mmCIF file with all atom_site columns, all heavy atoms in Angstrom:
data_model
loop_
_atom_site.group_PDB
_atom_site.id
_atom_site.type_symbol
_atom_site.label_atom_id
_atom_site.label_alt_id
_atom_site.label_comp_id
_atom_site.label_asym_id
_atom_site.label_entity_id
_atom_site.label_seq_id
_atom_site.pdbx_PDB_ins_code
_atom_site.Cartn_x
_atom_site.Cartn_y
_atom_site.Cartn_z
_atom_site.occupancy
_atom_site.B_iso_or_equiv
_atom_site.pdbx_formal_charge
_atom_site.auth_seq_id
_atom_site.auth_comp_id
_atom_site.auth_asym_id
_atom_site.auth_atom_id
_atom_site.pdbx_PDB_model_num
ATOM 1  N N   . VAL A 1 12  ? 88.408  94.232 78.869  1.00 0.00 ? 12  VAL A N   1
ATOM 2  C CA  . VAL A 1 12  ? 86.942  94.270 78.867  1.00 0.00 ? 12  VAL A CA  1
ATOM 3  C C   . VAL A 1 12  ? 86.379  92.863 79.059  1.00 0.00 ? 12  VAL A C   1
ATOM 4  O O   . VAL A 1 12  ? 85.414  92.658 79.810  1.00 0.00 ? 12  VAL A O   1
ATOM 5  C CB  . VAL A 1 12  ? 86.406  94.897 77.564  1.00 0.00 ? 12  VAL A CB  1
ATOM 6  C CG1 . VAL A 1 12  ? 84.884  94.794 77.505  1.00 0.00 ? 12  VAL A CG1 1
ATOM 7  C CG2 . VAL A 1 12  ? 86.835  96.359 77.462  1.00 0.00 ? 12  VAL A CG2 1
ATOM 8  N N   . ILE A 1 134 ? 74.676  76.296 76.512  1.00 0.00 ? 134 ILE A N   1
ATOM 9  C CA  . ILE A 1 134 ? 75.873  76.922 77.095  1.00 0.00 ? 134 ILE A CA  1
ATOM 10 C C   . ILE A 1 134 ? 77.083  76.005 76.942  1.00 0.00 ? 134 ILE A C   1
ATOM 11 O O   . ILE A 1 134 ? 78.188  76.464 76.618  1.00 0.00 ? 134 ILE A O   1
ATOM 12 C CB  . ILE A 1 134 ? 75.615  77.255 78.577  1.00 0.00 ? 134 ILE A CB  1
ATOM 13 C CG1 . ILE A 1 134 ? 74.683  78.465 78.674  1.00 0.00 ? 134 ILE A CG1 1
ATOM 14 C CG2 . ILE A 1 134 ? 76.916  77.517 79.323  1.00 0.00 ? 134 ILE A CG2 1
ATOM 15 C CD1 . ILE A 1 134 ? 74.199  78.751 80.073  1.00 0.00 ? 134 ILE A CD1 1
ATOM 16 N N   . THR A 1 189 ? 74.954  85.204 109.566 1.00 0.00 ? 189 THR A N   1
ATOM 17 C CA  . THR A 1 189 ? 74.366  84.043 108.888 1.00 0.00 ? 189 THR A CA  1
ATOM 18 C C   . THR A 1 189 ? 73.933  84.410 107.470 1.00 0.00 ? 189 THR A C   1
ATOM 19 O O   . THR A 1 189 ? 74.171  83.658 106.518 1.00 0.00 ? 189 THR A O   1
ATOM 20 C CB  . THR A 1 189 ? 73.154  83.518 109.675 1.00 0.00 ? 189 THR A CB  1
ATOM 21 O OG1 . THR A 1 189 ? 73.580  83.182 110.999 1.00 0.00 ? 189 THR A OG1 1
ATOM 22 C CG2 . THR A 1 189 ? 72.564  82.291 109.010 1.00 0.00 ? 189 THR A CG2 1
ATOM 23 N N   . ALA A 1 191 ? 75.200  86.810 105.681 1.00 0.00 ? 191 ALA A N   1
ATOM 24 C CA  . ALA A 1 191 ? 76.417  87.041 104.896 1.00 0.00 ? 191 ALA A CA  1
ATOM 25 C C   . ALA A 1 191 ? 76.972  85.721 104.373 1.00 0.00 ? 191 ALA A C   1
ATOM 26 O O   . ALA A 1 191 ? 77.433  85.638 103.231 1.00 0.00 ? 191 ALA A O   1
ATOM 27 C CB  . ALA A 1 191 ? 77.462  87.756 105.751 1.00 0.00 ? 191 ALA A CB  1
ATOM 28 N N   . VAL A 1 295 ? 80.434  77.668 83.694  1.00 0.00 ? 295 VAL A N   1
ATOM 29 C CA  . VAL A 1 295 ? 80.921  76.544 82.896  1.00 0.00 ? 295 VAL A CA  1
ATOM 30 C C   . VAL A 1 295 ? 82.298  76.869 82.321  1.00 0.00 ? 295 VAL A C   1
ATOM 31 O O   . VAL A 1 295 ? 83.212  76.027 82.311  1.00 0.00 ? 295 VAL A O   1
ATOM 32 C CB  . VAL A 1 295 ? 79.923  76.214 81.763  1.00 0.00 ? 295 VAL A CB  1
ATOM 33 C CG1 . VAL A 1 295 ? 80.517  75.189 80.805  1.00 0.00 ? 295 VAL A CG1 1
ATOM 34 C CG2 . VAL A 1 295 ? 78.617  75.698 82.343  1.00 0.00 ? 295 VAL A CG2 1
ATOM 35 N N   . PHE A 1 301 ? 89.228  73.489 85.797  1.00 0.00 ? 301 PHE A N   1
ATOM 36 C CA  . PHE A 1 301 ? 89.761  72.725 86.924  1.00 0.00 ? 301 PHE A CA  1
ATOM 37 C C   . PHE A 1 301 ? 90.114  71.293 86.519  1.00 0.00 ? 301 PHE A C   1
ATOM 38 O O   . PHE A 1 301 ? 91.240  70.842 86.746  1.00 0.00 ? 301 PHE A O   1
ATOM 39 C CB  . PHE A 1 301 ? 88.798  72.744 88.101  1.00 0.00 ? 301 PHE A CB  1
ATOM 40 C CG  . PHE A 1 301 ? 88.669  74.085 88.750  1.00 0.00 ? 301 PHE A CG  1
ATOM 41 C CD1 . PHE A 1 301 ? 87.458  74.727 88.832  1.00 0.00 ? 301 PHE A CD1 1
ATOM 42 C CD2 . PHE A 1 301 ? 89.788  74.722 89.278  1.00 0.00 ? 301 PHE A CD2 1
ATOM 43 C CE1 . PHE A 1 301 ? 87.343  75.977 89.428  1.00 0.00 ? 301 PHE A CE1 1
ATOM 44 C CE2 . PHE A 1 301 ? 89.687  75.970 89.878  1.00 0.00 ? 301 PHE A CE2 1
ATOM 45 C CZ  . PHE A 1 301 ? 88.458  76.604 89.952  1.00 0.00 ? 301 PHE A CZ  1
ATOM 46 N N   . MET A 1 305 ? 93.921  69.702 86.449  1.00 0.00 ? 305 MET A N   1
ATOM 47 C CA  . MET A 1 305 ? 94.226  68.516 87.251  1.00 0.00 ? 305 MET A CA  1
ATOM 48 C C   . MET A 1 305 ? 94.658  67.346 86.366  1.00 0.00 ? 305 MET A C   1
ATOM 49 O O   . MET A 1 305 ? 95.524  66.556 86.760  1.00 0.00 ? 305 MET A O   1
ATOM 50 C CB  . MET A 1 305 ? 92.997  68.137 88.090  1.00 0.00 ? 305 MET A CB  1
ATOM 51 C CG  . MET A 1 305 ? 92.637  69.187 89.145  1.00 0.00 ? 305 MET A CG  1
ATOM 52 S SD  . MET A 1 305 ? 91.145  68.785 90.079  1.00 0.00 ? 305 MET A SD  1
ATOM 53 C CE  . MET A 1 305 ? 91.751  67.406 91.063  1.00 0.00 ? 305 MET A CE  1
ATOM 54 N N   . PRO A 1 325 ? 89.111  73.321 75.764  1.00 0.00 ? 325 PRO A N   1
ATOM 55 C CA  . PRO A 1 325 ? 89.208  71.991 76.407  1.00 0.00 ? 325 PRO A CA  1
ATOM 56 C C   . PRO A 1 325 ? 87.875  71.253 76.327  1.00 0.00 ? 325 PRO A C   1
ATOM 57 O O   . PRO A 1 325 ? 87.132  71.168 77.313  1.00 0.00 ? 325 PRO A O   1
ATOM 58 C CB  . PRO A 1 325 ? 89.595  72.348 77.846  1.00 0.00 ? 325 PRO A CB  1
ATOM 59 C CG  . PRO A 1 325 ? 89.012  73.697 78.075  1.00 0.00 ? 325 PRO A CG  1
ATOM 60 C CD  . PRO A 1 325 ? 89.081  74.424 76.752  1.00 0.00 ? 325 PRO A CD  1
ATOM 61 N N   . PRO A 1 385 ? 98.357  94.244 98.626  1.00 0.00 ? 385 PRO A N   1
ATOM 62 C CA  . PRO A 1 385 ? 98.714  95.144 99.730  1.00 0.00 ? 385 PRO A CA  1
ATOM 63 C C   . PRO A 1 385 ? 98.240  94.586 101.076 1.00 0.00 ? 385 PRO A C   1
ATOM 64 O O   . PRO A 1 385 ? 97.330  93.765 101.137 1.00 0.00 ? 385 PRO A O   1
ATOM 65 C CB  . PRO A 1 385 ? 97.959  96.431 99.374  1.00 0.00 ? 385 PRO A CB  1
ATOM 66 C CG  . PRO A 1 385 ? 96.784  95.959 98.584  1.00 0.00 ? 385 PRO A CG  1
ATOM 67 C CD  . PRO A 1 385 ? 97.261  94.768 97.806  1.00 0.00 ? 385 PRO A CD  1
ATOM 68 N N   . TYR A 1 424 ? 92.679  61.272 95.423  1.00 0.00 ? 424 TYR A N   1
ATOM 69 C CA  . TYR A 1 424 ? 94.143  61.429 95.392  1.00 0.00 ? 424 TYR A CA  1
ATOM 70 C C   . TYR A 1 424 ? 94.850  60.126 95.762  1.00 0.00 ? 424 TYR A C   1
ATOM 71 O O   . TYR A 1 424 ? 95.800  59.711 95.093  1.00 0.00 ? 424 TYR A O   1
ATOM 72 C CB  . TYR A 1 424 ? 94.570  62.539 96.362  1.00 0.00 ? 424 TYR A CB  1
ATOM 73 C CG  . TYR A 1 424 ? 96.071  62.633 96.507  1.00 0.00 ? 424 TYR A CG  1
ATOM 74 C CD1 . TYR A 1 424 ? 96.845  63.176 95.484  1.00 0.00 ? 424 TYR A CD1 1
ATOM 75 C CD2 . TYR A 1 424 ? 96.709  62.162 97.663  1.00 0.00 ? 424 TYR A CD2 1
ATOM 76 C CE1 . TYR A 1 424 ? 98.232  63.233 95.606  1.00 0.00 ? 424 TYR A CE1 1
ATOM 77 C CE2 . TYR A 1 424 ? 98.089  62.222 97.781  1.00 0.00 ? 424 TYR A CE2 1
ATOM 78 C CZ  . TYR A 1 424 ? 98.844  62.758 96.758  1.00 0.00 ? 424 TYR A CZ  1
ATOM 79 O OH  . TYR A 1 424 ? 100.211 62.808 96.878  1.00 0.00 ? 424 TYR A OH  1
#
Side-chain angles (χ1 to χ4, degrees):
V12 174
I134 286 171
T189 302
V295 171
F301 291 121
M305 294 177 71
Y424 173 74

